[in-house]
Amino acid sequence: MLYSAFILGLISSLHCIGMCGPIAMMLPVDQQNDAKKVTQIITYHLGRLTAYATIGLIFGLLGRGFFLAGLQQKMSIFIGLAMILVVLIPEKVFSKYNFSKPVYKIISRVKSSLGNQFKKKTYKSLFTIGLLNGFLPCGMVYVALFGAIAMQSAGFGVLYMILFGLGTIPLMTVVVYVHSLIKLPFRNKIQKAIPYVAVVIGVLFILRGLGLGISYISPSNMSLFVQGTPNCH
């Protein structure tokens, strides 16, 4: 299922342009030195990947807890359904419920710190901008986190989120160089495709949990659980 993380990142990058694109466009990079500019952009992306890896570790550990409790199949099905519901339920429905109110102060501080970093032009500030950027609320990151939980391992949770972040890098890098490369009509078309991709990935997680015996997609129940005696043929 790891490949789904990179694919989700690639598709999500169109969404990222709208949400995080302004941050990428405003990066305090050296416009006169191309080589230095490349290393500065890489530093920014490393900050984002570090943030994704951190939350991937946390949610991977959560998934590991479910795995040890023997709930991995049910959790995979639940996560698949959650992915599908997140993209199918209109955003205005969620807006009626203030789920994020307890963390408003934290988010406000992150944004404030982010603004302060733009005044500097050091590698440390670029890394910090990427780090803070990665921790900002984002719907597509939430979808990816469902995948990190389903990995049922801290290491694979980290890897899942890193692959997701790597998928967003190509287009986010292009934005830094050519702000107007992707026109709004094309971006809107890709934006419409994002829910379909998320639904497909959600279905894959559901199939995985059902244990239908389909190679690489839905392994049998036998291979999903640790048994007291080996089952050999």
Side-chain angles (χ1 to χ4, degrees), residues 5-6 8-9 12 52 140-141 144 160-168:
F6 187 74
L8 183 62
S12 298
Y52 292 151
M140 297 314 299
V141 171
Y160 193 93
M161 291 306 297
I162 288 177
L163 287 172
F164 169 78
L166 288 173
T168 67

Side-chain angles (χ1 to χ4, degrees), residues 11-224:
I11 300 297
S12 298
S13 57
L14 268 297
H15 173 79
C16 292
I17 289 178
M19 298 296 293
C20 305
I23 294 177
M25 294 176 191
M26 294 168 56
L27 287 177
V29 295
D30 192 331
Q31 301 294 344
Q32 308 300 321
N33 188 325
D34 290 336
K36 186 177 181 180
K37 184 176 181 179
V38 169
T39 58
Q40 288 175 324
I41 294 172
I42 290 174
T43 302
Y44 161 71
H45 287 312
L46 286 175
R48 288 200 306 122
L49 291 177
T50 300
Y52 292 151
T54 302
I55 54 181
L57 173 63
I58 295 170
F59 283 85
L61 286 170
L62 179 61
R64 177 63 178 170
F66 288 119
F67 175 76
L68 292 175
L71 300 175
Q72 61 268 37
Q73 280 188 285
K74 293 179 181 178
M75 180 53 57
S76 186
I77 295 171
F78 171 78
I79 287 171
L81 289 172
M83 281 184 171
I84 294 172
L85 289 175
V86 164
V87 297
L88 292 184
I89 297 177
E91 196 172 323
K92 60 183 179 181
V93 174
F94 288 112
S95 65
K96 295 179 182 179
Y97 307 95
N98 198 355
F99 298 112
S100 58
K101 188 174 182 179
V103 294
Y104 268 175
K105 289 184 178 180
I106 297 176
I107 294 173
S108 178
R109 289 178 182 177
V110 169
K111 289 182 176 179
S112 177
S113 299
L114 193 59
N116 292 333
Q117 295 303 319
F118 281 104
K119 300 175 183 178
K120 308 171 186 177
K121 292 187 177 182
T122 64
Y123 282 98
K124 181 180 178 180
S125 66
L126 285 163
F127 181 85
T128 304
I129 290 171
L131 187 69
L132 295 174
N133 187 177
F135 283 120
L136 286 176
C138 173
M140 297 314 299
V141 171
Y142 298 156
V143 172
L145 285 176
F146 284 131
I149 293 175
M151 289 298 100
Q152 304 159 359
S153 159
F156 280 114
V158 170
L159 182 57
Y160 193 93
M161 291 306 297
I162 288 177
L163 287 172
F164 169 78
L166 288 173
T168 67
I169 285 178
L171 200 51
M172 289 298 290
T173 300
V174 168
V175 169
V176 179
Y177 283 95
V178 187
H179 299 174
S180 60
L181 179 65
I182 300 176
K183 302 298 182 181
L184 184 61
F186 177 73
R187 192 167 67 196
N188 288 338
K189 289 180 181 179
I190 300 298
Q191 189 81 5
K192 291 178 181 178
I194 292 176
Y196 295 100
V197 175
V199 167
V200 169
I201 294 175
V203 170
L204 286 174
F205 276 107
I206 292 173
L207 290 174
R208 181 182 182 223
L210 291 174
L212 300 176
I214 304 173
S215 298
Y216 304 108
I217 295 177
S218 183
S220 66
N221 295 346
M222 194 176 298
S223 64
L224 286 174

